[in-house]
Amino acid sequence: MEKTTENRLKWIECGYSLFASIGPEALNVERLSGLVSLARSSFYYYFGDLVSFEAELLKTHIKHYEKFGELMRDYVEFEQLFSDEIMENKVALAFQRQLLINKSVKRYQECSYKAREFTERKTYELWTKAKNVDSNSEAEWVLFRAIRDYYFVQFGQAGQDPQDVLVLLYSYLGKLKE
């Protein structure tokens, strides 16, 4: 890989992880520079400013969710959402959480929505199938979205792992079936 491409990716990967773990307020050129061990001037060379850098992070996030959608395409059971291939992407899940927490910022809300377009319908389809309920029910759709948002908020609390929260949600789902 060409050095300039490699360095640019370092900035993006570091910024993506930082945004995912702390939120948008963590994006600071000085901090990022220290973490990637590159001069601040290279940041400005690649991105121009923080606004452009953040836009690149949001595009990166949508690409991650597009890959999730591709992974999920052939899923037929809700349990498949617990797969290692999904859980290997915890940073993307944490990034989505930060977007939801900061959804009062229009660009974060829009990015979250665009990202979910790749996964939400399939997840809902698997959810209603597992619960054995009508997928056309408005009440089920509202419940699903509330639980989805609960999931994203919970897994970031007190070091909760996304897999642990999924297990709790799956347990809850089992109780709903009874």
Side-chain angles (χ1 to χ4, degrees), residues 1-144:
M1 183 182 315
E2 185 179 310
K3 191 70 170 169
T4 57
T5 303
E6 185 180 316
N7 286 344
R8 188 175 190 281
L9 284 175
K10 278 184 180 179
W11 286 107
I12 292 170
E13 289 171 3
C14 182
Y16 192 79
S17 293
L18 207 53
F19 187 110
S21 62
I22 300 172
E25 64 277 4
L27 298 181
N28 172 294
V29 179
E30 183 86 25
R31 174 188 274 172
L32 288 164
S33 176
L35 291 170
V36 297
S37 301
L38 295 170
R40 288 185 314 240
S41 61
S42 80
F43 174 89
Y44 294 107
Y45 172 78
Y46 295 117
F47 306 105
D49 57 27
L50 273 172
V51 173
S52 298
F53 179 67
E54 184 183 85
E56 192 64 37
L57 297 180
L58 297 177
K59 286 181 203 169
T60 298
H61 182 63
I62 291 169
K63 288 177 187 173
H64 280 294
Y65 263 69
E66 187 173 8
K67 288 178 187 173
F68 280 164
E70 290 169 12
L71 286 172
M72 294 169 60
R73 187 174 298 136
D74 296 325
Y75 288 2
V76 292
E77 300 294 332
F78 185 75
E79 293 82 359
Q80 289 174 284
L81 294 173
F82 298 81
S83 71
D84 289 339
E85 60 192 2
I86 295 291
M87 287 298 111
E88 287 172 1
N89 295 288
K90 291 177 186 177
V91 175
L93 296 172
F95 196 99
Q96 183 71 10
R97 175 183 184 269
Q98 290 296 341
L99 293 174
L100 287 169
I101 289 169
N102 294 283
K103 67 183 176 185
S104 62
V105 177
K106 187 176 180 179
R107 64 186 177 277
Y108 300 152
Q109 183 180 36
E110 289 172 352
C111 180
S112 174
Y113 178 79
K114 285 178 187 174
R116 285 194 321 255
E117 286 178 347
F118 294 104
T119 60
E120 191 161 62
R121 275 282 153 210
K122 184 64 172 187
T123 305
Y124 182 66
E125 172 193 318
L126 297 172
W127 159 268
T128 56
K129 180 182 174 188
K131 285 184 61 192
N132 196 27
V133 295
D134 179 11
S135 64
N136 295 317
S137 165
E138 181 63 27
E140 280 303 316
W141 181 241
V142 169
L143 178 63
F144 167 78

